[in-house]
Amino acid sequence: MIKLSIKDENIIKAREYAREIVNSLSWLMSDYSSVSIERTVLRLMRIDGIFDSTPLPNIVIDLLSERNVLDRGAAYWIANAMIYKNASAQEVAESISKDEFDPTKIPTMPDEKVFETLEKLTTEMLKHIKSQNKFREESYAKFGPRKKPAIYVIVATGNIYDDVVQAKAAAREGADIIAVIRSTAQSLLDYVPFGATTEGFGGTFATQENFKIMRKGLDEVGEEIGKYISLTNYASGLCMPEIAAMGAIERLDVMLNDAMYGILFRDINMKRTILDQYFSRMINAYAGIEIQTGEDNYLTTSDAIEKAYTVTASQLINEQFALISGLKHEKMGLGHAFEINPKIENSFLYELSHALLTHTLFPDSPTKYMPPTKFATGNIFRTHLLNGMFNFISQITDQGVQLLGMMTEAIHTPHLVDRAVAIENANYVFKATKDFSNEFQLSKDGFINQRANLVLDETIGFLKKVSEKGLFKAMKNSDFADIKRTETGGKGLDGVFKKSDNYFNPFMEKMKLELGI
Amino acid sequence: MIKLSIKDENIIKAREYAREIVNSLSWLMSDYSSVSIERTVLRLMRIDGIFDSTPLPNIVIDLLSERNVLDRGAAYWIANAMIYKNASAQEVAESISKDEFDPTKIPTMPDEKVFETLEKLTTEMLKHIKSQNKFREESYAKFGPRKKPAIYVIVATGNIYDDVVQAKAAAREGADIIAVIRSTAQSLLDYVPFGATTEGFGGTFATQENFKIMRKGLDEVGEEIGKYISLTNYASGLCMPEIAAMGAIERLDVMLNDAMYGILFRDINMKRTILDQYFSRMINAYAGIEIQTGEDNYLTTSDAIEKAYTVTASQLINEQFALISGLKHEKMGLGHAFEINPKIENSFLYELSHALLTHTLFPDSPTKYMPPTKFATGNIFRTHLLNGMFNFISQITDQGVQLLGMMTEAIHTPHLVDRAVAIENANYVFKATKDFSNEFQLSKDGFINQRANLVLDETIGFLKKVSEKGLFKAMKNSDFADIKRTETGGKGLDGVFKKSDNYFNPFMEKMKLELGI
Amino acid sequence: MSIIIDSKRIKPYGDRLDDGRMQFSFSLPAPCNEVGKEAAKILLTKMQLNDIEICYLSDLGEGFTHFIAYASTSETIDLTKINVKVVDTPVMDMKATDEFIEKEIGHSIKIVGACIESDAHTVGIDAIMNMKGYDHRYGLERYKYFDATNLGAQVPSEELLRIAVDEKADVILVSQIVTQRNIHIKNLTRLIELAESEGIRDKFLMICGGPRLNHELAIELGYDAGFGTGSYAKDVASFIAFRMVERNKN
Amino acid sequence: MSIIIDSKRIKPYGDRLDDGRMQFSFSLPAPCNEVGKEAAKILLTKMQLNDIEICYLSDLGEGFTHFIAYASTSETIDLTKINVKVVDTPVMDMKATDEFIEKEIGHSIKIVGACIESDAHTVGIDAIMNMKGYDHRYGLERYKYFDATNLGAQVPSEELLRIAVDEKADVILVSQIVTQRNIHIKNLTRLIELAESEGIRDKFLMICGGPRLNHELAIELGYDAGFGTGSYAKDVASFIAFRMVERNKN
Ligand code: B12
Ligand code: B12
Ligand SMILES: Cc1ncc(COP(=O)(O)O)c(C=O)c1O
Ligand SMILES: Cc1ncc(COP(=O)(O)O)c(C=O)c1O
């Protein structure tokens, strides 16, 4: 077996610093909420649809915010109105949207009744989510578990109907997981677009209807070929928890969800992001959805050798954030990427060392391995070969999810045929090298071991520094990805608010309870 | 280091059987010669050119044969005539061609004079050949030794001028060795075509002029880029030793030269082939030319797993034949190939095991590794990837020469750009995996070791059987490649003759002496 | 709702329906710079392509440059109008074929096969003829009702015909693998012309095969059938059986 | 003797001079059989290609098939007639550029740069502008005589122009990496049109860059220059220096 020689105590040390970093933010989670969390609550209460092209959850939350009553939590106001109007949550929201009704301007209903209403709505929704999880579990039981490494490909035509055709084709060719890539910068929208969409740039909008359409397509093809095909999208950006909820409702299986990506790469406010990821991960955990983190992003702007430790550090921080939201290791798709400059001597050894380190640190997690992108050129033959070497490493280091590289990475979002060629590549390499790792022992003092230990040491040093300063201060000092972010800067801070004493989020309460956190 | 665990005694045993097989044919080498050997003697005496489109060496040998005097060796008759006519060997041959002169119908000159003449001619030619070897050695000293694995690519346009352009381009991109592939079935011609040629199918005719043109082109580009570029062609078929001589004269550096290929795959008579390869290898040895054997051919018709031992057996037999011709291990490019069906699970492990076995048996030889061809399809992307995996194995098992696979293997002889893409592939993989093998130890009882030991065991069993029967009988029993060949069958037997007591081959004598065999 | 394909005007599909996107790779004797890039664009423009993206160029030395490009065609193809000749006899397995011949003909069919002229690639014809067959499908030699002789590599056309006549063959199989400068077309044509000039063409079913052959081309060249990459013995066997029965009827 | 290339009529070079050989890969909504293969051939025939070899086809599912083909074009290109606009100012290194500006202008040149509209790919513009530069070539920020501000990702065109006016910039740099459905052309056009409508286009040197841009296209879009894949800061820096001197002269 190819196994690194790494001292347990170093792993423990690194993990301990990460835990400190995350724990020192508990004040935020206990005292604050955000507009997106409240919109999520509404969505979980089955409020959906748009009015004049604005989603109802936004209209309602904006009103409550304007009225300065959001600190009690949106759930309360809607439930109160439901009793008052003897109407469904959706009906309440609709009348608010049409400006016919103001839920803050009606009498207060008996608390008992309000909580009863909420209890009913909550139970209903959580039952639905659990049934989706059950369906997934049963499908795996029926068709067999997901392959390892699972073959993950993206569709990104901008048109959900083209996406479905291409996703089905990919499933037939051997894909295990289909990701629908979002239209450029959906992260920055402070609402979730609505309905089936057919225009997007570099991707397709994440909407509930699009989720539903794709889910249906994948269930169909899965039934045909006798395999459960996983669906994934992004619970990321200003609507992170809302999308997590949509995913839970529509039975997505995996969600791209990083605790820090929004802060660093989208300049979203750090408080907002940390709050949102906390609740969104809880939803994921509850729904049995696997998360995937975005460590690859560090390497698109930094050097993969020099800054390898930032990937490891981020994985450890993401792990701790996931744990406090109730996610189990089996559902943590911690990310890393094959981004060493291929012109470097022994680039393959570097990649192998880094991939082994990730696997060693998270042996029970479906680690997500990202393909070469930065050094992909318009030379499709060369890129195809790089992807083969990347697949090789994934197989021999036992990664959980292999996001396949496309030979046209430097040219366009994947064409139908690019994906087929990529899947064939992975199928061949995985099969050809299946038991490779059983054949070898790693030299104890060789380059690969030395390199992995060095990266871990650098990670420990880095995490120590961050834990001493605190995460927010570290970000202010550009400690992450050389990007400077402040506690009061970035988008979406105005959507963060302090909870009042009678704040209530029935979903979070129930989930916490059931998840035992 | 990735090293096989193989018992030395098994290697010795295998080698011993191969030696027996080869030694038991010494009667052939001591008592017989062939028309091609005699034509070679003429070429080494600088007889060249054509008359009425027949090469002069053929005209002269055919005449001597007709006159039943060839058993004395062609050298004697030409030298005798030279003295008689006071003319050069070429002039003698020309007048024979024009039917103006019959060298058997003139008085016998004093033996002393004849031998003196021959001594002079021989010394002159051997001096030239040694100067070519010296040029090569000095070039390596000046530019640095050949890389390992050396990048070997073929040109095969049919037009020597297109070949030169493409060969130069390849050299610039990183090729170390250029092979000019021969026009289909030149093997079966019992003469060597003449002059610069521009039409061929699947390759370009091997002619002395073509050798010269290509040599010049490669020397030019080599000087420019600061590297000695090796040239190779085929010393194979009915004119095996003639081409070896031409190569020695024109400074080819490598020669495809297999002791049994002609017998098995071209149905050339076995006596003829064994005789011809004996002298051709001696010329190669003398000229400092590296030979390469054709074990890959077994795997184009047989299964690479089932018949792996035939490759190993052939390597060991080729080694023994090479040794008796005076070739050193450093000049034996024993062949093998990456031809396991890529659809097989762990195909990469099989390939790795076989490649390691070759390297283990011949640690000092520039083993020649042949690319996937049989399982190449019209899917150029897939073939390109297979070639990458093939390059990977070559680098980590320390092969001497890597005959690059072309992504268009199943489509056409390599285009200009196919070669460039292939060289880029090898350059990347070699560099990326440079020190890979230092990082690992092979599991003693793993699949790779077991497999290699099994193949060696099968080889020993096979060689034992062949040594008991004798090589000729074994071939009659279809023991090799399931192909049946008889001692009296096949092309070219009529060109084999028993030497008389006063037979004389001045080149062979001198070479034997100097090579110490 | 889904995307709707109009068979009367299909186009290449890259990213989205009817985008016409295609990939190209080629080299030109042109410099590796903006001038060369422009030359590559002009070439693709002459091929009526638009939205041309030269996404890679690299110097091949000796004045040549390699280009990789993507571009869109606006050509459409009417699938409904395509009428390509294919072997249309049903395919039976070995047992069924033998039974069919036994019942309909009652005696063995004599077959001779070869790889003709300069071609020495026997793996293909062996795959079809030899006992062992190919990919777990037995070859013609194993069929009870075929009497098959494989003459192997580099058989001159004259010799193949001579043997076919001598052995009273019903069927001639020919393999051609090397295709450089259309040598396969030349060789196959030569064989047919020889047979015609000797007046024996109609004595045999003449069937050819090889990676660049198909039924359409074979018919065009004057053969009764042609088989390309991925053919199995059973495809040829069934065809022979049906055709021989048909012949016997006429 | 060697092969002779006629620049007035160059053709793709595959195996031999002027064979016109090219490689194609594409998918069609057509079946994976002889009919699909014929469709692929028809398509290539419509593109005036000959000697068409469909050397690979594979079923992509959902009614699509992938084809890989080789074919020959008979088109030729006249290299001598190609006239493509390229940046023709000489390229100097950082030191030379600074000295040139010092001598010829005597004061700093103000530059603002951004990745505009929806595009967040800053690596390219960073490579040109940031201190650190790219591939061991320093960026514009490190030049003594440039005062360069990099506004980063997703800057609306309006804002970029506003800042350029406010800061009295001499040069505007724009980066566009995402090109799906020609969004880069749309965005670049929008910026120029905005500048024109505000009557400020001529206040600045306007320079764009990105993997699908080149000088020719940039000029066409109304920019002063364009830089594609593989550009370095020194290329842009030299161009700016020369142009600014020219401008000052007029
Ligand atoms: C194996 C092989 C060889 C072996 C052949 C051994 C042998 N006994 O057959 C050896 C090493 C001897 C060889 C030599 C050469 N080869 Co070669 N060879 C190949 C290779 C790798 C595989 C061919 C093969 O076996 N395919 C597998 C069989 C099963 O497929 P198939 O032949 O297509 O047959 C199927 C169908 O076509 C059909 N079929 C075929 N024939 C028939 C006949 C009938 C009647 C029917 C019904 C069906 C049928 O059914 C078969 C089963 O499905 C190909 C590359 C490739 N991957 O394709 C090159 C290739 C064919 N060879 C090539 C060349 C150039 C040569 C040489 C000329 C090189 C040289 N200059 O020395 C020599 C000379 C050979 C000669 N005189 O013909 C070129 C041809 C280029 C071209 N397009 O013209 C190729 C494409 C390689 C390349 N890229 O350069 N070769
Ligand atoms: C890194 C990267 C990212 C990073 C960007 C990080 C960052 N801060 O820049 C991240 C991960 C954030 C990202 C995200 C996305 N990306 Co992105 N990304 C890439 C990638 C891998 C490399 C780009 C790169 O950095 N190149 C290196 C630089 C140095 O080269 P360059 O940009 O060409 O710049 C050079 C020249 O063009 C020129 N130049 C460039 N700008 C300028 C300006 C001036 C003034 C001058 C003079 C010169 C100049 O000089 C530079 C140096 O030589 C490419 C794939 C690839 N290999 O090319 C995809 C790619 C560009 N991304 C793509 C897509 C679709 C996206 C997303 C939209 C996906 C999604 N739906 O989420 C998102 C959204 C981004 C957005 N809003 O724009 C597509 C674009 C497809 C297309 N043709 O339209 C690509 C091609 C990948 C793919 N095949 O799908 N991406
Ligand atoms: C964690 C994460 N979220 C989101 C995105 C992209 O989405 P957007 O462009 O909407 O930020 C990425 C892209 O890599 C990512 O890694
Ligand atoms: C040893 C050897 N000689 C010769 C050849 C081919 O040449 P010919 O077609 O002239 O036999 C090969 C081809 O693989 C070979 O391996």
Side-chain angles (χ1 to χ4, degrees), chain A residues 181-182 184 202 297 300-301 373 376 409 411-413, chain D residues 118-124 174-175 177-180 209-211 228 231 236:
Chain A
I181 297 302
R182 291 208 306 210
T184 328
N297 289 289
T300 60
T301 47
T373 61
E409 169 61 31
I411 306 171
H412 48 231
T413 50
Chain D
S118 53
D119 208 322
H121 290 88
T122 54
V123 178
V174 206
S175 182
I177 311 303
V178 177
T179 59
Q180 208 186 26
S231 313
V236 194

Short mmCIF file of all heavy atoms in Angstrom, two decimals, chain A residues 181-182 184 202 297 300-301 373 376 409 411-413, chain D residues 118-124 174-175 177-180 209-211 228 231 236, ligand 2:
data_model
loop_
_atom_site.label_atom_id
_atom_site.label_comp_id
_atom_site.label_asym_id
_atom_site.label_seq_id
_atom_site.Cartn_x
_atom_site.Cartn_y
_atom_site.Cartn_z
N ILE A 181 -23.23 23.58 -13.62
CA ILE A 181 -22.45 24.77 -13.28
C ILE A 181 -23.32 26.00 -13.39
O ILE A 181 -24.14 26.11 -14.31
CB ILE A 181 -21.24 24.89 -14.23
CG1 ILE A 181 -20.32 23.70 -14.04
CG2 ILE A 181 -20.48 26.18 -14.02
CD1 ILE A 181 -19.82 23.53 -12.65
N ARG A 182 -23.15 26.92 -12.45
CA ARG A 182 -24.00 28.10 -12.42
C ARG A 182 -23.55 29.16 -13.41
O ARG A 182 -22.36 29.31 -13.68
CB ARG A 182 -23.92 28.73 -11.03
CG ARG A 182 -24.57 27.89 -10.00
CD ARG A 182 -25.09 28.72 -8.88
NE ARG A 182 -24.08 29.59 -8.30
CZ ARG A 182 -24.11 29.94 -7.02
NH1 ARG A 182 -25.07 29.49 -6.22
NH2 ARG A 182 -23.21 30.76 -6.54
N THR A 184 -22.38 32.66 -14.66
CA THR A 184 -21.35 33.50 -14.06
C THR A 184 -21.87 34.35 -12.91
O THR A 184 -22.83 35.09 -13.07
CB THR A 184 -20.81 34.50 -15.11
OG1 THR A 184 -20.86 33.88 -16.37
CG2 THR A 184 -19.43 34.93 -14.80
N GLY A 202 -21.52 30.75 -19.22
CA GLY A 202 -20.57 29.86 -18.56
C GLY A 202 -21.26 28.89 -17.63
O GLY A 202 -20.61 28.20 -16.86
N ASN A 297 -9.74 26.72 -5.61
CA ASN A 297 -9.71 28.14 -5.95
C ASN A 297 -8.40 28.82 -5.54
O ASN A 297 -7.94 29.73 -6.21
CB ASN A 297 -10.89 28.86 -5.33
CG ASN A 297 -12.20 28.47 -6.00
OD1 ASN A 297 -12.44 28.86 -7.13
ND2 ASN A 297 -12.99 27.67 -5.31
N THR A 300 -5.82 28.62 -8.30
CA THR A 300 -5.97 29.30 -9.59
C THR A 300 -5.23 30.61 -9.57
O THR A 300 -4.84 31.13 -10.62
CB THR A 300 -7.44 29.56 -9.97
OG1 THR A 300 -8.03 30.38 -8.98
CG2 THR A 300 -8.21 28.25 -10.08
N THR A 301 -5.05 31.19 -8.38
CA THR A 301 -4.32 32.46 -8.32
C THR A 301 -2.95 32.32 -7.67
O THR A 301 -2.10 33.18 -7.85
CB THR A 301 -5.14 33.54 -7.58
OG1 THR A 301 -5.66 32.97 -6.38
CG2 THR A 301 -6.30 34.02 -8.42
N THR A 373 -6.44 22.89 -14.51
CA THR A 373 -7.18 23.91 -15.26
C THR A 373 -6.22 25.02 -15.68
O THR A 373 -6.20 25.42 -16.84
CB THR A 373 -8.32 24.53 -14.44
OG1 THR A 373 -7.78 25.18 -13.29
CG2 THR A 373 -9.32 23.48 -14.00
N ALA A 376 -3.85 24.07 -18.34
CA ALA A 376 -4.47 23.58 -19.57
C ALA A 376 -4.24 24.66 -20.62
O ALA A 376 -4.36 25.85 -20.33
CB ALA A 376 -5.95 23.36 -19.34
N GLU A 409 -10.49 22.43 -21.61
CA GLU A 409 -10.55 23.32 -20.44
C GLU A 409 -10.19 24.77 -20.79
O GLU A 409 -10.82 25.70 -20.30
CB GLU A 409 -9.63 22.80 -19.34
CG GLU A 409 -9.39 23.75 -18.17
CD GLU A 409 -10.65 24.13 -17.40
OE1 GLU A 409 -11.57 23.30 -17.34
OE2 GLU A 409 -10.72 25.26 -16.88
N ILE A 411 -10.57 26.28 -23.48
CA ILE A 411 -11.25 26.79 -24.67
C ILE A 411 -12.70 27.16 -24.40
O ILE A 411 -13.12 28.28 -24.61
CB ILE A 411 -11.17 25.75 -25.82
CG1 ILE A 411 -9.71 25.38 -26.06
CG2 ILE A 411 -11.81 26.31 -27.08
CD1 ILE A 411 -9.50 24.22 -27.00
N HIS A 412 -13.45 26.18 -23.94
CA HIS A 412 -14.87 26.46 -23.73
C HIS A 412 -15.42 25.55 -22.63
O HIS A 412 -14.78 24.59 -22.25
CB HIS A 412 -15.67 26.26 -25.04
CG HIS A 412 -15.37 24.97 -25.75
ND1 HIS A 412 -15.04 24.91 -27.08
CD2 HIS A 412 -15.31 23.69 -25.33
CE1 HIS A 412 -14.82 23.66 -27.43
NE2 HIS A 412 -14.97 22.90 -26.38
N THR A 413 -16.61 25.85 -22.16
CA THR A 413 -17.26 24.94 -21.23
C THR A 413 -17.51 23.65 -22.01
O THR A 413 -17.68 23.68 -23.22
CB THR A 413 -18.56 25.55 -20.68
OG1 THR A 413 -19.34 26.01 -21.78
CG2 THR A 413 -18.27 26.71 -19.75
N SER D 118 -19.36 41.10 -16.19
CA SER D 118 -19.53 39.88 -15.40
C SER D 118 -18.23 39.10 -15.22
O SER D 118 -18.18 38.10 -14.51
CB SER D 118 -20.56 38.98 -16.07
OG SER D 118 -20.21 38.77 -17.42
N ASP D 119 -17.16 39.54 -15.85
CA ASP D 119 -15.95 38.71 -15.86
C ASP D 119 -15.12 38.88 -14.59
O ASP D 119 -14.78 39.98 -14.20
CB ASP D 119 -15.11 39.06 -17.09
CG ASP D 119 -14.27 37.88 -17.55
OD1 ASP D 119 -13.76 37.15 -16.69
OD2 ASP D 119 -14.15 37.69 -18.76
N ALA D 120 -14.83 37.76 -13.98
CA ALA D 120 -14.07 37.79 -12.72
C ALA D 120 -12.69 37.16 -12.86
O ALA D 120 -12.03 36.87 -11.86
CB ALA D 120 -14.86 37.10 -11.63
N HIS D 121 -12.27 36.92 -14.06
CA HIS D 121 -10.96 36.30 -14.27
C HIS D 121 -9.89 37.37 -14.24
O HIS D 121 -9.60 38.00 -15.26
CB HIS D 121 -10.93 35.58 -15.61
CG HIS D 121 -11.77 34.36 -15.64
ND1 HIS D 121 -13.09 34.39 -15.98
CD2 HIS D 121 -11.48 33.06 -15.35
CE1 HIS D 121 -13.59 33.16 -15.93
NE2 HIS D 121 -12.63 32.33 -15.53
N THR D 122 -9.28 37.54 -13.09
CA THR D 122 -8.31 38.62 -12.94
C THR D 122 -6.88 38.19 -13.20
O THR D 122 -5.99 39.03 -13.27
CB THR D 122 -8.37 39.18 -11.50
OG1 THR D 122 -8.21 38.08 -10.61
CG2 THR D 122 -9.70 39.86 -11.24
N VAL D 123 -6.67 36.90 -13.32
CA VAL D 123 -5.27 36.44 -13.44
C VAL D 123 -4.57 37.10 -14.62
O VAL D 123 -3.41 37.51 -14.53
CB VAL D 123 -5.19 34.90 -13.54
CG1 VAL D 123 -3.75 34.46 -13.71
CG2 VAL D 123 -5.78 34.24 -12.30
N GLY D 124 -5.29 37.25 -15.73
CA GLY D 124 -4.70 37.84 -16.93
C GLY D 124 -4.31 39.30 -16.72
O GLY D 124 -3.16 39.69 -16.97
N VAL D 174 -8.42 46.87 -20.37
CA VAL D 174 -9.62 46.06 -20.12
C VAL D 174 -9.31 44.60 -20.40
O VAL D 174 -8.71 44.28 -21.42
CB VAL D 174 -10.77 46.43 -21.07
CG1 VAL D 174 -12.10 46.10 -20.42
CG2 VAL D 174 -10.69 47.85 -21.50
N SER D 175 -9.78 43.75 -19.52
CA SER D 175 -9.56 42.32 -19.74
C SER D 175 -10.90 41.61 -19.91
O SER D 175 -11.87 41.92 -19.23
CB SER D 175 -8.82 41.74 -18.53
OG SER D 175 -8.56 40.37 -18.74
N ILE D 177 -12.08 37.53 -20.42
CA ILE D 177 -11.65 36.14 -20.54
C ILE D 177 -12.80 35.23 -20.97
O ILE D 177 -12.64 34.36 -21.81
CB ILE D 177 -11.06 35.64 -19.20
CG1 ILE D 177 -10.03 36.62 -18.65
CG2 ILE D 177 -10.48 34.24 -19.37
CD1 ILE D 177 -8.87 36.94 -19.55
N VAL D 178 -13.97 35.44 -20.36
CA VAL D 178 -15.11 34.59 -20.73
C VAL D 178 -15.58 35.00 -22.12
O VAL D 178 -15.75 36.19 -22.40
CB VAL D 178 -16.24 34.71 -19.69
CG1 VAL D 178 -17.44 33.88 -20.12
CG2 VAL D 178 -15.76 34.26 -18.31
N THR D 179 -15.76 34.01 -22.99
CA THR D 179 -16.08 34.31 -24.38
C THR D 179 -17.31 33.56 -24.86
O THR D 179 -17.69 33.66 -26.02
CB THR D 179 -14.90 33.90 -25.29
OG1 THR D 179 -14.66 32.50 -25.11
CG2 THR D 179 -13.64 34.65 -24.95
N GLN D 180 -17.91 32.79 -23.95
CA GLN D 180 -19.07 31.99 -24.36
C GLN D 180 -20.10 32.88 -25.02
O GLN D 180 -20.41 33.96 -24.53
CB GLN D 180 -19.67 31.28 -23.14
CG GLN D 180 -20.36 29.97 -23.53
CD GLN D 180 -21.08 29.33 -22.37
OE1 GLN D 180 -21.47 30.02 -21.43
NE2 GLN D 180 -21.28 28.03 -22.43
N GLY D 209 -7.41 43.04 -23.68
CA GLY D 209 -6.65 41.79 -23.72
C GLY D 209 -7.46 40.61 -23.26
O GLY D 209 -8.50 40.78 -22.61
N GLY D 210 -7.00 39.42 -23.63
CA GLY D 210 -7.69 38.18 -23.26
C GLY D 210 -7.32 37.09 -24.24
O GLY D 210 -6.77 37.37 -25.30
N PRO D 211 -7.63 35.86 -23.88
CA PRO D 211 -7.16 34.75 -24.71
C PRO D 211 -7.74 34.73 -26.13
O PRO D 211 -7.13 34.17 -27.03
CB PRO D 211 -7.59 33.50 -23.93
CG PRO D 211 -8.61 33.97 -22.96
CD PRO D 211 -8.31 35.40 -22.67
N GLY D 228 -3.28 39.12 -26.86
CA GLY D 228 -3.83 37.80 -26.60
C GLY D 228 -2.98 36.94 -25.69
O GLY D 228 -2.10 37.44 -24.98
N SER D 231 0.85 37.27 -23.84
CA SER D 231 1.37 38.64 -23.79
C SER D 231 2.06 38.87 -22.45
O SER D 231 1.69 38.27 -21.44
CB SER D 231 0.24 39.66 -23.89
OG SER D 231 -0.64 39.33 -24.92
N VAL D 236 2.87 45.45 -23.60
CA VAL D 236 1.91 46.54 -23.42
C VAL D 236 2.64 47.82 -23.06
O VAL D 236 2.33 48.90 -23.57
CB VAL D 236 0.91 46.18 -22.30
CG1 VAL D 236 -0.28 47.11 -22.35
CG2 VAL D 236 0.47 44.74 -22.40
C1 B12 E 2 -8.38 30.54 -13.24
C2 B12 E 2 -9.76 30.38 -13.83
C3 B12 E 2 -10.85 30.75 -13.05
C4 B12 E 2 -10.71 31.33 -11.65
C5 B12 E 2 -10.40 32.83 -11.81
C6 B12 E 2 -9.58 33.35 -10.68
C7 B12 E 2 -9.18 34.73 -10.95
N1 B12 E 2 -9.09 35.51 -9.92
O1 B12 E 2 -8.91 35.13 -12.09
C8 B12 E 2 -12.11 31.03 -11.05
C9 B12 E 2 -12.06 29.68 -10.37
C10 B12 E 2 -12.65 32.04 -10.09
C11 B12 E 2 -12.93 30.90 -12.32
C12 B12 E 2 -14.28 31.01 -12.34
C13 B12 E 2 -15.05 30.88 -13.47
N2 B12 E 2 -14.65 30.52 -14.69
CO1 B12 E 2 -12.82 30.28 -15.15
N3 B12 E 2 -11.14 29.75 -15.65
C14 B12 E 2 -9.93 29.85 -15.15
C15 B12 E 2 -8.86 29.20 -16.03
C16 B12 E 2 -8.55 27.85 -15.43
C17 B12 E 2 -7.54 29.96 -16.19
C18 B12 E 2 -7.64 31.42 -16.61
C19 B12 E 2 -6.34 32.04 -16.32
O2 B12 E 2 -6.09 32.46 -15.21
N4 B12 E 2 -5.40 32.04 -17.30
C20 B12 E 2 -4.04 32.51 -17.14
C21 B12 E 2 -3.90 33.96 -17.61
C22 B12 E 2 -2.50 34.46 -17.33
O3 B12 E 2 -4.14 33.97 -18.99
P1 B12 E 2 -5.17 35.02 -19.67
O4 B12 E 2 -6.29 35.25 -18.77
O5 B12 E 2 -5.45 34.58 -21.04
O6 B12 E 2 -4.30 36.36 -19.72
C23 B12 E 2 -3.22 36.55 -20.61
C24 B12 E 2 -3.64 37.15 -21.93
O7 B12 E 2 -4.92 36.81 -22.37
C25 B12 E 2 -3.44 38.62 -21.78
N5 B12 E 2 -4.47 39.42 -21.16
C26 B12 E 2 -5.55 39.08 -20.47
N6 B12 E 2 -6.22 40.16 -20.06
C27 B12 E 2 -5.54 41.23 -20.51
C28 B12 E 2 -5.77 42.58 -20.41
C29 B12 E 2 -4.90 43.48 -21.02
C30 B12 E 2 -5.13 44.90 -20.93
C31 B12 E 2 -3.77 42.98 -21.72
C32 B12 E 2 -2.85 43.91 -22.33
C33 B12 E 2 -3.54 41.63 -21.81
C34 B12 E 2 -4.43 40.77 -21.20
O8 B12 E 2 -2.30 38.66 -20.98
C35 B12 E 2 -2.32 37.61 -20.01
C36 B12 E 2 -0.93 37.15 -19.77
O9 B12 E 2 -0.36 36.62 -20.94
C37 B12 E 2 -9.59 29.09 -17.40
C38 B12 E 2 -9.22 27.88 -18.23
C39 B12 E 2 -7.88 28.08 -18.88
N7 B12 E 2 -6.97 27.18 -18.66
O10 B12 E 2 -7.66 29.03 -19.62
C40 B12 E 2 -11.05 29.03 -16.99
C41 B12 E 2 -12.16 29.66 -17.88
C42 B12 E 2 -11.66 30.95 -18.46
N8 B12 E 2 -13.27 29.90 -16.95
C43 B12 E 2 -14.40 29.67 -17.51
C44 B12 E 2 -15.65 29.82 -16.84
C45 B12 E 2 -16.90 29.49 -17.64
C46 B12 E 2 -15.72 30.26 -15.50
C47 B12 E 2 -17.01 30.47 -14.71
C48 B12 E 2 -17.98 31.36 -15.46
C49 B12 E 2 -17.61 29.09 -14.34
C50 B12 E 2 -18.83 29.23 -13.51
N9 B12 E 2 -19.97 29.15 -14.14
O11 B12 E 2 -18.72 29.37 -12.32
C51 B12 E 2 -16.52 31.06 -13.38
C52 B12 E 2 -17.00 32.48 -13.15
C53 B12 E 2 -15.97 33.51 -13.38
C54 B12 E 2 -16.46 34.86 -13.82
N10 B12 E 2 -17.43 35.48 -13.20
O12 B12 E 2 -15.91 35.37 -14.75
C55 B12 E 2 -14.28 29.21 -18.93
C56 B12 E 2 -14.65 30.27 -19.97
C57 B12 E 2 -15.35 29.64 -21.16
C58 B12 E 2 -15.47 30.62 -22.28
N11 B12 E 2 -14.66 30.46 -23.31
O13 B12 E 2 -16.26 31.51 -22.20
C59 B12 E 2 -12.83 28.71 -18.96
C60 B12 E 2 -12.16 28.77 -20.33
C61 B12 E 2 -12.88 27.25 -18.42
C62 B12 E 2 -13.78 26.35 -19.19
N12 B12 E 2 -13.30 25.63 -20.15
O14 B12 E 2 -14.97 26.27 -18.91
N13 B12 E 2 -12.17 30.63 -13.38
#
